[in-house]
Coordinates of all heavy atoms in Angstrom, one line a residue:
P1 N 0.8 -1.2 0.0 CA 0.0 0.0 0.0 C 0.9 1.3 0.0 O 2.0 1.2 0.4 CB -0.8 -0.1 1.3 CG -0.3 -1.3 2.0 CD 0.6 -2.0 1.2
L2 N 0.3 2.3 -0.5 CA 0.9 3.6 -0.5 C 0.1 4.5 0.5 O -1.1 4.7 0.3 CB 0.9 4.2 -1.9 CG 1.5 5.6 -2.1 CD1 3.0 5.6 -1.7 CD2 1.3 6.0 -3.6
L3 N 0.8 5.0 1.6 CA 0.1 5.8 2.6 C 0.6 7.3 2.4 O 1.8 7.5 2.4 CB 0.4 5.4 4.0 CG 0.0 3.9 4.3 CD1 0.6 3.5 5.7 CD2 -1.5 3.8 4.3
L4 N -0.3 8.2 2.2 CA 0.0 9.6 2.0 C -0.8 10.5 3.0 O -2.0 10.3 3.2 CB -0.4 10.0 0.5 CG 0.2 9.2 -0.6 CD1 -0.4 9.4 -1.9 CD2 1.7 9.4 -0.6
D5 N -0.1 11.5 3.5 CA -0.7 12.3 4.5 C -0.5 13.8 4.1 O 0.6 14.3 4.0 CB -0.1 12.1 5.9 CG -0.7 12.9 7.0 OD1 -1.9 13.4 6.8 OD2 -0.1 13.1 8.0
D6 N -1.6 14.4 3.7 CA -1.6 15.9 3.3 C -0.6 16.2 2.2 O 0.1 17.2 2.2 CB -1.4 16.7 4.5 CG -2.6 17.2 5.2 OD1 -3.7 17.2 4.5 OD2 -2.6 17.6 6.3
V7 N -0.5 15.4 1.2 CA 0.4 15.6 0.1 C 0.0 16.8 -0.8 O 0.9 17.3 -1.5 CB 0.7 14.3 -0.8 CG1 1.3 13.2 0.0 CG2 -0.6 13.9 -1.4
T8 N -1.2 17.2 -0.7 CA -1.6 18.3 -1.5 C -1.7 19.7 -0.8 O -2.2 20.7 -1.3 CB -3.0 18.0 -2.2 OG1 -3.9 17.8 -1.1 CG2 -2.9 16.8 -3.0
V9 N -1.3 19.7 0.4 CA -1.5 20.9 1.3 C -0.9 22.2 0.7 O -1.5 23.2 0.9 CB -1.0 20.6 2.7 CG1 0.5 20.6 2.8 CG2 -1.7 21.6 3.7
Q10 N 0.2 22.1 -0.1 CA 0.8 23.3 -0.6 C 0.4 23.5 -2.1 O 0.9 24.4 -2.7 CB 2.3 23.1 -0.5 CG 2.8 23.1 0.9 CD 2.6 24.3 1.7 OE1 2.6 25.4 1.2 NE2 2.2 24.2 3.0
A11 N -0.4 22.7 -2.6 CA -0.8 22.8 -4.1 C -2.1 23.6 -4.2 O -2.9 23.6 -3.4 CB -1.0 21.4 -4.6
D12 N -2.1 24.3 -5.4 CA -3.4 25.0 -5.7 C -4.4 24.0 -6.2 O -4.1 22.8 -6.3 CB -3.2 26.0 -6.8 CG -2.6 25.5 -8.1 OD1 -3.0 24.4 -8.5 OD2 -1.8 26.1 -8.8
D13 N -5.7 24.4 -6.4 CA -6.8 23.5 -6.7 C -6.5 22.7 -7.9 O -6.8 21.5 -8.0 CB -8.1 24.2 -6.8 CG -8.6 24.7 -5.4 OD1 -7.9 24.4 -4.4 OD2 -9.6 25.3 -5.4
G14 N -6.0 23.3 -9.0 CA -5.7 22.6 -10.2 C -4.7 21.5 -10.1 O -4.9 20.4 -10.6
R15 N -3.6 21.8 -9.4 CA -2.6 20.8 -9.2 C -3.0 19.7 -8.3 O -2.7 18.5 -8.5 CB -1.3 21.5 -8.7 CG -0.6 22.2 -9.8 CD 0.8 22.7 -9.3 NE 1.5 23.3 -10.3 CZ 1.6 24.6 -10.5 NH1 1.1 25.4 -9.7 NH2 2.3 25.1 -11.5
T16 N -3.8 20.1 -7.3 CA -4.4 19.1 -6.4 C -5.2 18.1 -7.2 O -5.1 16.9 -7.0 CB -5.3 19.7 -5.3 OG1 -4.4 20.5 -4.5 CG2 -6.0 18.7 -4.5
R17 N -6.1 18.5 -8.0 CA -7.0 17.6 -8.8 C -6.1 16.8 -9.8 O -6.4 15.6 -10.0 CB -8.0 18.4 -9.6 CG -9.1 19.0 -8.7 CD -10.1 19.8 -9.5 NE -11.2 20.2 -8.6 CZ -12.2 19.4 -8.2 NH1 -12.3 18.2 -8.7 NH2 -13.2 19.9 -7.4
Q18 N -5.1 17.4 -10.4 CA -4.2 16.6 -11.3 C -3.5 15.5 -10.5 O -3.4 14.3 -11.0 CB -3.1 17.5 -11.9 CG -3.7 18.4 -13.0 CD -2.7 19.3 -13.5 OE1 -1.6 19.5 -13.0 NE2 -3.0 20.0 -14.6
L19 N -3.0 15.8 -9.3 CA -2.3 14.8 -8.5 C -3.3 13.7 -8.1 O -3.0 12.5 -8.1 CB -1.7 15.4 -7.2 CG -1.1 14.4 -6.2 CD1 0.1 13.6 -6.9 CD2 -0.6 15.2 -5.0
L20 N -4.5 14.1 -7.7 CA -5.5 13.1 -7.3 C -5.9 12.2 -8.5 O -6.1 11.0 -8.3 CB -6.8 13.8 -6.7 CG -6.5 14.5 -5.4 CD1 -7.7 15.4 -5.0 CD2 -6.1 13.6 -4.3
D21 N -6.0 12.8 -9.7 CA -6.3 11.9 -10.9 C -5.2 10.9 -11.1 O -5.4 9.8 -11.5 CB -6.5 12.8 -12.1 CG -7.8 13.6 -12.1 OD1 -8.7 13.1 -11.4 OD2 -7.9 14.6 -12.8
L22 N -3.9 11.4 -10.9 CA -2.8 10.5 -11.1 C -2.9 9.3 -10.0 O -2.7 8.2 -10.4 CB -1.5 11.2 -10.9 CG -0.2 10.4 -10.8 CD1 0.0 9.6 -12.2 CD2 1.0 11.3 -10.5
L23 N -3.2 9.7 -8.8 CA -3.3 8.7 -7.7 C -4.4 7.7 -8.1 O -4.3 6.5 -7.8 CB -3.5 9.3 -6.4 CG -2.3 10.1 -5.8 CD1 -2.7 10.8 -4.6 CD2 -1.1 9.1 -5.6
L24 N -5.5 8.2 -8.6 CA -6.6 7.3 -9.0 C -6.1 6.3 -10.1 O -6.5 5.1 -10.0 CB -7.8 8.2 -9.5 CG -9.0 7.4 -9.9 CD1 -9.6 6.6 -8.7 CD2 -10.1 8.3 -10.4
R25 N -5.4 6.8 -11.0 CA -4.8 5.8 -12.0 C -3.9 4.8 -11.4 O -3.9 3.6 -11.7 CB -4.1 6.6 -13.2 CG -5.1 7.3 -14.1 CD -4.4 7.9 -15.3 NE -3.3 8.7 -15.1 CZ -3.3 10.0 -14.9 NH1 -4.5 10.6 -14.9 NH2 -2.2 10.7 -14.7
L26 N -3.1 5.3 -10.5 CA -2.1 4.3 -9.8 C -2.9 3.3 -8.9 O -2.4 2.2 -8.6 CB -1.1 5.1 -8.9 CG -0.1 6.0 -9.7 CD1 0.7 6.8 -8.7 CD2 0.8 5.1 -10.5
S27 N -4.1 3.7 -8.5 CA -4.8 2.8 -7.7 C -5.3 1.5 -8.4 O -5.7 0.5 -7.7 CB -6.1 3.5 -7.1 OG -7.1 3.7 -8.0
D28 N -5.1 1.5 -9.7 CA -5.4 0.2 -10.4 C -4.3 -0.8 -10.1 O -4.6 -2.0 -10.3 CB -5.3 0.5 -12.0 CG -6.6 1.3 -12.4 OD1 -7.6 1.2 -11.7 OD2 -6.5 1.9 -13.5
E29 N -3.1 -0.4 -9.7 CA -2.0 -1.3 -9.4 C -1.7 -1.5 -8.0 O -1.0 -2.4 -7.6 CB -0.7 -0.7 -10.1 CG -0.9 -0.5 -11.6 CD 0.2 0.2 -12.2 OE1 1.3 0.4 -11.5 OE2 0.1 0.6 -13.4
R30 N -2.2 -0.6 -7.1 CA -1.8 -0.7 -5.7 C -2.9 0.0 -4.8 O -3.6 0.8 -5.3 CB -0.5 -0.1 -5.4 CG -0.4 1.4 -5.6 CD 1.0 2.0 -5.4 NE 1.8 1.5 -6.5 CZ 3.0 1.0 -6.4 NH1 3.6 1.0 -5.2 NH2 3.7 0.6 -7.4
Q31 N -2.9 -0.4 -3.6 CA -3.8 0.3 -2.6 C -3.2 1.6 -2.2 O -2.0 1.7 -1.9 CB -4.0 -0.6 -1.4 CG -4.9 0.0 -0.4 CD -5.0 -0.8 0.9 OE1 -4.1 -1.6 1.2 NE2 -6.1 -0.7 1.6
I32 N -4.0 2.7 -2.3 CA -3.6 4.0 -1.9 C -4.5 4.5 -0.8 O -5.7 4.5 -0.9 CB -3.6 5.0 -3.1 CG1 -2.6 4.5 -4.1 CG2 -3.3 6.4 -2.6 CD1 -2.6 5.3 -5.4
V33 N -3.9 5.0 0.3 CA -4.6 5.6 1.4 C -4.1 7.0 1.5 O -2.9 7.2 1.7 CB -4.3 4.8 2.8 CG1 -5.0 5.5 3.9 CG2 -4.7 3.3 2.6
L34 N -5.1 7.9 1.4 CA -4.7 9.3 1.4 C -5.5 10.0 2.5 O -6.7 9.9 2.7 CB -5.1 9.9 0.1 CG -5.0 11.4 -0.1 CD1 -3.6 11.9 -0.1 CD2 -5.7 11.9 -1.3
F35 N -4.7 10.8 3.4 CA -5.3 11.6 4.4 C -5.2 13.1 3.9 O -4.1 13.4 3.5 CB -4.6 11.4 5.7 CG -4.7 10.1 6.3 CD1 -3.8 9.1 6.1 CD2 -5.8 9.7 7.1 CE1 -3.9 7.8 6.6 CE2 -6.0 8.5 7.6 CZ -5.0 7.5 7.4
A36 N -6.2 13.8 4.0 CA -6.2 15.2 3.5 C -7.2 16.0 4.3 O -8.1 15.5 4.9 CB -6.5 15.3 2.1
Q37 N -6.9 17.3 4.4 CA -7.8 18.2 5.1 C -8.4 19.3 4.2 O -9.2 20.1 4.7 CB -7.0 18.9 6.3 CG -5.8 19.6 5.9 CD -5.1 20.2 7.1 OE1 -5.7 20.4 8.1 NE2 -3.8 20.4 6.9
E38 N -8.0 19.4 3.0 CA -8.6 20.4 2.1 C -9.9 20.1 1.5 O -10.2 19.0 1.1 CB -7.6 20.7 0.9 CG -6.3 21.2 1.3 CD -5.3 20.0 1.5 OE1 -5.6 18.9 1.2 OE2 -4.2 20.3 2.1
P39 N -10.8 21.0 1.5 CA -12.2 20.8 0.9 C -12.1 20.4 -0.5 O -13.0 19.6 -1.0 CB -12.9 22.1 1.1 CG -12.1 22.9 2.1 CD -10.7 22.4 2.1
V40 N -11.2 20.8 -1.3 CA -11.1 20.4 -2.7 C -10.9 18.9 -2.9 O -11.4 18.3 -3.8 CB -10.0 21.2 -3.5 CG1 -8.6 20.9 -3.0 CG2 -10.1 21.0 -5.0
V41 N -10.1 18.3 -1.9 CA -9.9 16.9 -2.0 C -11.2 16.1 -1.7 O -11.5 15.2 -2.4 CB -8.8 16.5 -1.0 CG1 -8.6 14.9 -0.9 CG2 -7.5 17.1 -1.3
L42 N -12.0 16.6 -0.7 CA -13.3 16.0 -0.4 C -14.2 16.1 -1.6 O -14.9 15.1 -2.0 CB -13.9 16.6 0.8 CG -15.3 16.1 1.2 CD1 -15.3 14.6 1.5 CD2 -15.9 16.9 2.4
D43 N -14.3 17.3 -2.2 CA -15.1 17.5 -3.4 C -14.7 16.6 -4.5 O -15.6 16.0 -5.2 CB -15.0 18.9 -3.9 CG -15.6 19.9 -2.9 OD1 -16.4 19.5 -2.0 OD2 -15.3 21.1 -3.0
W44 N -13.4 16.4 -4.8 CA -12.9 15.5 -5.8 C -13.3 14.1 -5.5 O -13.7 13.4 -6.4 CB -11.4 15.7 -5.9 CG -10.8 14.7 -6.9 CD1 -10.5 15.0 -8.2 CD2 -10.4 13.4 -6.7 NE1 -10.0 13.9 -8.9 CE2 -9.9 12.9 -8.0 CE3 -10.3 12.5 -5.6 CZ2 -9.4 11.6 -8.1 CZ3 -9.8 11.3 -5.8 CH2 -9.4 10.8 -7.0
A45 N -13.2 13.7 -4.3 CA -13.5 12.3 -3.9 C -15.0 12.0 -4.1 O -15.3 10.9 -4.6 CB -13.1 12.0 -2.4
I46 N -15.8 12.9 -3.7 CA -17.2 12.8 -3.9 C -17.5 12.6 -5.4 O -18.3 11.8 -5.8 CB -18.0 13.9 -3.3 CG1 -17.9 13.8 -1.8 CG2 -19.5 13.9 -3.7 CD1 -18.4 15.1 -1.0
E47 N -16.9 13.5 -6.2 CA -17.2 13.4 -7.7 C -16.6 12.2 -8.3 O -17.3 11.6 -9.2 CB -16.5 14.6 -8.3 CG -17.0 16.0 -8.0 CD -16.1 17.1 -8.5 OE1 -15.2 16.9 -9.3 OE2 -16.4 18.2 -8.1
R48 N -15.4 11.8 -8.0 CA -14.7 10.7 -8.7 C -14.8 9.3 -8.1 O -14.7 8.4 -8.8 CB -13.2 11.1 -8.8 CG -12.9 12.4 -9.6 CD -13.3 12.3 -11.0 NE -12.7 11.3 -11.7 CZ -11.6 11.4 -12.5 NH1 -11.1 12.5 -12.7 NH2 -11.1 10.3 -13.1
L49 N -14.9 9.2 -6.8 CA -14.9 7.9 -6.2 C -16.2 7.3 -5.9 O -16.3 6.1 -5.7 CB -14.1 8.0 -4.9 CG -12.6 8.5 -5.0 CD1 -12.0 8.4 -3.6 CD2 -11.8 7.7 -6.0
S50 N -17.3 8.1 -5.9 CA -18.6 7.6 -5.6 C -19.1 6.6 -6.7 O -20.0 5.8 -6.4 CB -19.6 8.7 -5.5 OG -19.2 9.5 -4.4
A51 N -18.6 6.8 -7.9 CA -19.2 6.0 -9.1 C -18.7 4.5 -9.0 O -19.4 3.7 -9.6 CB -18.7 6.6 -10.4
E52 N -17.6 4.2 -8.4 CA -17.1 2.9 -8.4 C -17.1 2.3 -7.0 O -16.6 2.9 -6.1 CB -15.7 2.8 -9.0 CG -15.6 3.2 -10.4 CD -14.2 3.0 -11.0 OE1 -13.6 2.0 -10.7 OE2 -13.7 3.9 -11.6
S53 N -17.6 1.1 -6.8 CA -17.7 0.5 -5.5 C -16.3 0.0 -5.0 O -16.2 -0.2 -3.8 CB -18.7 -0.7 -5.5 OG -18.2 -1.7 -6.4
R54 N -15.3 -0.1 -5.9 CA -14.0 -0.5 -5.4 C -13.3 0.6 -4.7 O -12.3 0.3 -4.0 CB -13.2 -1.1 -6.6 CG -12.7 0.0 -7.5 CD -11.9 -0.7 -8.7 NE -11.3 0.3 -9.5 CZ -10.1 0.7 -9.5 NH1 -9.2 0.0 -8.6 NH2 -9.5 1.6 -10.2
H55 N -13.7 1.8 -4.8 CA -13.1 2.9 -4.1 C -14.0 3.3 -2.9 O -15.2 3.2 -2.9 CB -13.0 4.2 -5.0 CG -12.2 3.9 -6.2 ND1 -10.8 3.7 -6.1 CD2 -12.5 3.9 -7.5 CE1 -10.4 3.5 -7.3 NE2 -11.3 3.7 -8.2
L56 N -13.3 3.8 -1.9 CA -14.0 4.1 -0.6 C -13.3 5.4 -0.1 O -12.1 5.5 -0.1 CB -13.8 3.0 0.4 CG -14.4 3.2 1.8 CD1 -15.9 3.3 1.8 CD2 -14.0 2.1 2.7
F57 N -14.1 6.3 0.4 CA -13.6 7.4 1.1 C -14.4 7.6 2.4 O -15.6 7.3 2.4 CB -13.5 8.7 0.3 CG -14.9 9.3 -0.1 CD1 -15.4 10.3 0.7 CD2 -15.6 8.9 -1.2 CE1 -16.6 10.9 0.4 CE2 -16.8 9.5 -1.5 CZ -17.3 10.5 -0.7
R58 N -13.8 8.1 3.4 CA -14.4 8.4 4.7 C -14.1 9.8 5.1 O -13.0 10.2 5.1 CB -13.9 7.5 5.8 CG -14.1 6.0 5.5 CD -15.1 5.5 6.4 NE -15.2 4.0 6.1 CZ -16.3 3.4 6.2 NH1 -17.4 4.0 6.4 NH2 -16.3 2.1 5.9
E59 N -15.1 10.6 5.5 CA -14.9 11.9 6.0 C -14.9 11.7 7.5 O -15.9 11.3 8.1 CB -16.0 12.8 5.6 CG -15.7 14.2 6.0 CD -16.8 15.2 5.5 OE1 -17.7 14.8 4.8 OE2 -16.6 16.4 5.8
L60 N -13.8 12.0 8.1 CA -13.7 11.9 9.6 C -14.2 13.1 10.3 O -14.2 14.2 9.7 CB -12.2 11.7 10.0 CG -11.5 10.5 9.3 CD1 -10.0 10.4 9.8 CD2 -12.2 9.2 9.8
P61 N -14.8 12.9 11.5 CA -15.3 14.1 12.2 C -14.2 15.0 12.6 O -13.1 14.6 12.9 CB -16.0 13.5 13.4 CG -15.4 12.1 13.6 CD -15.0 11.7 12.2
R62 N -14.5 16.3 12.5 CA -13.5 17.3 12.9 C -13.4 17.3 14.5 O -14.4 17.2 15.2 CB -13.8 18.6 12.4 CG -13.9 18.7 10.9 CD -13.9 20.1 10.5 NE -13.9 20.2 9.0 CZ -12.9 20.2 8.2 NH1 -11.7 20.2 8.8 NH2 -13.0 20.3 6.9
L63 N -12.1 17.4 14.9 CA -11.9 17.5 16.4 C -12.0 19.0 16.8 O -11.4 19.8 16.1 CB -10.5 16.9 16.7 CG -10.3 15.4 16.4 CD1 -8.9 15.0 16.7 CD2 -11.3 14.6 17.2
S64 N -12.6 19.2 17.9 CA -12.7 20.6 18.4 C -11.3 20.9 19.1 O -10.8 20.1 19.7 CB -13.8 20.8 19.3 OG -13.7 20.0 20.4
T65 N -10.9 22.1 18.8 CA -9.7 22.6 19.5 C -10.1 23.6 20.6 O -10.9 24.4 20.4 CB -8.7 23.2 18.5 OG1 -9.4 24.3 17.9 CG2 -8.2 22.2 17.5
V66 N -9.4 23.4 21.7 CA -9.8 24.3 22.8 C -8.7 25.4 23.0 O -7.6 25.3 22.8 CB -9.9 23.5 24.1 CG1 -10.3 24.3 25.3 CG2 -10.9 22.4 23.9

């Protein structure tokens, strides 16, 4: 598996979507687990991953900071 944590945090929306599309293509060959906090990543996942049952995404609850 390939584990990635916030790899798009410094990218603009266009580059983020390009990277996510690349990771989606790579997912044909390997399992990819991606952690992200940007809304653009969630929007992309809803658009692109909902259509196929082999993909799964989970939105984790936000933790409150005190």
Side-chain angles (χ1 to χ4, degrees):
L2 180 59
L3 301 172
L4 303 167
D5 186 18
D6 267 338
V7 296
T8 61
V9 73
Q10 297 296 323
D12 59 38
D13 289 357
R15 286 190 174 99
T16 294
R17 290 181 173 278
Q18 289 176 349
L19 176 59
L20 295 171
D21 288 338
L22 172 63
L23 291 172
L24 182 59
R25 289 192 303 275
L26 291 174
S27 73
D28 289 337
E29 302 170 10
R30 69 184 67 224
Q31 179 184 23
I32 297 178
V33 178
L34 172 69
F35 296 94
Q37 59 182 333
E38 297 88 12
V40 67
V41 176
L42 177 61
D43 294 342
W44 178 91
I46 291 169
E47 292 169 13
R48 300 293 305 258
L49 302 183
S50 299
E52 295 185 45
S53 62
R54 69 184 189 102
H55 298 297
L56 175 67
F57 72 92
R58 301 248 185 218
E59 185 176 4
L60 300 177
R62 297 194 181 271
L63 299 175
S64 62
T65 56
V66 180

